[in-house]
Amino acid sequence: MRNLLYIDGAFVEPALGGFLEVVDPATEEPFAEIAAGTDADVDAAVQAARRAFDQGPWPRMPAASRAAILRRVATEIRDNLVHLAQLEVRDNGKPLKEARWDIGDAAFCFDYYADMAEQVEAEGETVVDVGDDRFVGRVRKEPLGVVGAITPWNFPLLMAVWKVAPALAAGCSIVLKPSEFCSLSCVELARYFHKAGLPPGVFNLVTGLGQQAGAPLSAHPGVDKLAFTGSQATGSQVMQTAARDIRSVSLELGGKSPFIVFADCDLDKAVEWIQFGVFWNQGQICSATSRLLVERPVHDALLARLKAAAERIVIGPGDLDGVQMGPIVSAVQHRRVMEGIAQGVASGARLVTGGGRPSYLTRGYFVEPTIFTDVPLDSWIWREEVFGPVLCIQSFDTEQEAIALANDSRFGLAGAVMSDDLERCDRVARALRAGVVWVNCSQPTFTQLPWGGYKASGIGRELGRNGYEAFLEVKQITSFDHRQDWNWYQSTGNPV
């Protein structure tokens, strides 16, 4: 099946006629094609988005009208939840149960931002007392403009919707470039927008390779804001490109997040949350709590339970009943994960379990849940993101040591702490230099709460009200009471 681009309200062939194979990571077999967009397609999409924003009705519609369309899209997603989940399983490899969660969250995200658009419009402008009754100061928020969004492959539809839903709710137009590894659910999203009656040019989809489609989108002068989720290296390039024209940018990048486990917690519960924090979605999570810090008295006991639990995880194609871990998304990523594991072994870390392909799976990009302990603190595998099912463990003796080890990272996306002492949990949560902290859990994510990181993990926040306001500009309007004596102004000179 060939999937086209969506530009200016129509599905169109790519300008150069190229297509890319879509490969099922569980079988290594191609099963579909996506359009290979290039700079000409990006230019057409940005121009369409520019017209839609500058001349079209979308930014000028009442919030209720925009919200109605977003809610229709949410309904389409729910009505097609099974189809979309199955599509993501085949495109991405994740287990069907996880894919269903993701699709449900995507639908909720549209409803949430539809509600927010109406709420913010109802709040209206803010009148500010400027300390001089001859002037009235007002602050209003307006849609930012044309958004260029570049999204990753680990949560193909959901990560796209985290950008698309608030941007459209705020009144922006958008050009979406999803990962070439997983674009199919975003093509379906374009179909739902088309059916919902979104005005032409408000949402545009350009699939293709990063250098051929993503880079031209980042560099296009018609884009007012760049919103990117992906690796730190690519995020740095996006930021440099945005800096040339002084454009707004938000970056959600990688992490190497810590999980601190104190000796007073229930170890069986800890094992469940540790596994969820690093093996869910095959470890392909930017916030994966992949650095485990364990209080020394329980290190050996916890490690034994973790090893046994990891070896019970059912690995296989995501569409099979009972599968808990699917394949890595692509041959390229599979190779990177295996190289990371090899670096861990070479560093002198002790391989406790995993490290290879399950013996009963002869094809597909599968990796066993992998656990290292006694990991050198200066090793690559301790400090860098593997983006696979790889857990690194170190022990600690004091709360202060645990916090210092956790914060000793150039990343700061997330962190977790587990203890029955809730006061200690609160102290540690406050001390962690991370944008997201979980207490006695790992990875639950809610649309209502802001998402983003400190340090090299990114700039800005998605989700919650912060995620909506990221697509607004703030304008002050200051009015002079024309009934005042104009001679007063002339006598004061320029008050600025």
Side-chain angles (χ1 to χ4, degrees):
M1 176 182 177
R2 282 193 160 188
N3 294 278
L4 303 179
L5 309 175
Y6 186 71
I7 298 175
D8 206 14
F11 287 95
V12 297
E13 294 271 346
L16 298 183
F19 284 82
L20 304 172
E21 284 187 337
V22 179
V23 175
D24 184 334
T27 65
E28 304 182 37
E29 297 292 333
F31 68 97
E33 291 181 315
I34 58 168
T38 59
D39 53 355
D41 303 300
V42 168
D43 183 60
V46 173
Q47 289 194 43
R50 188 81 263 165
R51 288 192 299 272
F53 184 80
D54 292 342
Q55 304 166 26
W58 187 252
R60 299 155 190 86
M61 280 184 180
S65 299
R66 293 198 303 271
I69 291 177
L70 298 186
R71 292 188 182 110
R72 287 201 288 272
V73 173
T75 298
E76 287 293 324
I77 292 173
R78 290 193 180 95
D79 289 347
N80 291 278
L81 189 147
V82 173
H83 166 65
L84 285 167
Q86 291 172 337
L87 193 64
E88 291 219 333
V89 169
R90 200 167 185 198
D91 200 13
N92 170 274
K94 66 179 63 190
L96 181 60
K97 183 178 180 180
E98 294 181 16
R100 291 175 67 99
W101 291 344
D102 295 349
I103 303 306
D105 285 348
F108 176 78
C109 195
F110 275 109
D111 282 335
Y112 175 80
Y113 283 112
D115 292 346
M116 183 159 291
E118 294 176 325
Q119 173 192 334
V120 171
E121 183 177 81
E123 292 171 359
E125 297 178 343
T126 302
V127 178
V128 179
D129 183 354
V130 297
D132 187 328
D133 59 10
R134 289 166 293 196
F135 293 89
V136 175
R138 293 177 288 150
V139 177
R140 59 179 284 110
K141 296 177 181 179
E142 300 177 347
L144 191 151
V146 174
V147 176
I150 301 174
T151 56
W153 44 259
N154 54 337
F155 296 89
L157 182 63
L158 184 57
M159 294 291 97
V161 168
W162 279 16
K163 293 172 173 50
V164 171
L168 296 187
C172 296
S173 59
I174 194 165
V175 178
L176 171 65
K177 192 279 175 191
S179 168
E180 60 268 29
F181 292 121
C182 294
S183 295
L184 297 182
S185 55
C186 290
V187 176
E188 294 297 296
L189 180 63
R191 295 190 175 101
Y192 303 154
F193 276 125
H194 193 81
K195 184 177 180 181
L198 189 72
V202 174
F203 173 84
N204 305 272
L205 176 72
V206 179
T207 57
L209 298 172
Q211 286 301 312
Q212 280 69 50
L217 180 58
S218 296
H220 201 291
V223 172
D224 297 305
K225 178 184 177 68
L226 292 167
F228 172 82
T229 298
S231 72
Q232 185 199 0
T234 306
S236 178
Q237 294 172 7
V238 169
M239 189 173 180
Q240 290 177 54
T241 302
R244 288 200 293 265
D245 296 322
I246 318 297
R247 284 181 289 161
S248 175
V249 62
S250 60
L251 304 173
E252 203 275 272
L253 308 178
K256 191 70 176 181
S257 301
F259 194 144
I260 302 173
V261 175
F262 287 95
D264 63 346
C265 72
D266 183 313
L267 294 188
D268 289 329
K269 291 180 182 177
V271 166
E272 289 300 312
W273 283 114
I274 292 164
Q275 289 190 102
F276 195 69
V278 72
F279 298 144
W280 172 49
N281 202 39
Q282 297 69 254
Q284 299 169 140
I285 319 168
C286 56
S287 59
T289 40
S290 56
R291 284 189 298 141
L292 179 62
L293 298 163
V294 183
E295 196 167 11
R296 197 176 303 278
V298 296
H299 174 276
D300 292 349
L302 181 61
L303 182 61
R305 297 186 196 202
L306 264 175
K307 178 179 184 295
E311 291 171 354
R312 289 194 298 267
I313 291 174
V314 180
I315 307 170
D319 57 354
L320 297 184
D321 289 342
V323 164
Q324 297 167 294
M325 264 184 55
I328 300 297
V329 71
S330 67
V332 171
Q333 185 60 24
H334 182 268
R335 183 175 67 252
R336 289 173 180 162
V337 173
M338 296 308 296
E339 289 171 350
I341 292 171
Q343 290 205 42
V345 172
S347 74
R350 177 161 65 93
L351 180 62
V352 176
T353 189
R357 173 197 293 272
S359 59
Y360 54 87
L361 293 168
T362 58
R363 63 176 183 169
Y365 309 125
F366 295 96
V367 177
E368 297 168 313
T370 300
I371 299 175
F372 285 98
T373 192
D374 303 325
V375 184
L377 299 180
D378 61 352
S379 63
W380 183 92
I381 202 167
W382 180 259
R383 307 199 71 84
E384 299 300 328
E385 187 175 42
V386 179
F387 223 66
V390 180
L391 178 65
C392 297
I393 306 176
Q394 265 290 354
S395 56
F396 67 89
D397 293 304
T398 68
E399 179 180 319
Q400 292 73 24
E401 182 188 5
I403 292 168
L405 287 169
N407 286 337
D408 183 18
S409 173
R410 63 194 179 92
F411 296 109
L413 180 53
V417 55
M418 198 155 192
S419 171
D420 285 349
D421 183 342
L422 296 184
E423 290 185 1
R424 175 161 59 187
C425 285
D426 189 61
R427 285 196 307 272
V428 173
R430 291 171 182 269
L432 289 177
R433 295 285 295 161
V436 180
V437 178
W438 295 291
V439 173
N440 289 328
C441 59
S442 179
Q443 304 307 320
T445 302
F446 299 96
T447 304
Q448 301 92 331
L449 295 173
W451 180 271
Y454 290 15
K455 300 187 279 189
S457 286
I459 295 174
R461 293 295 183 269
E462 296 187 302
L463 300 183
R465 179 148 182 161
N466 301 75
Y468 182 80
E469 293 190 345
F471 296 100
L472 297 174
E473 287 282 19
V474 178
K475 175 185 287 183
Q476 67 136 303
I477 301 175
T478 301
S479 303
F480 178 68
D481 186 344
H482 68 278
R483 294 167 297 181
Q484 298 289 339
D485 181 6
W486 182 246
N487 291 328
W488 163 85
Y489 181 81
Q490 292 176 317
S491 68
T492 61
N494 188 339
V496 177

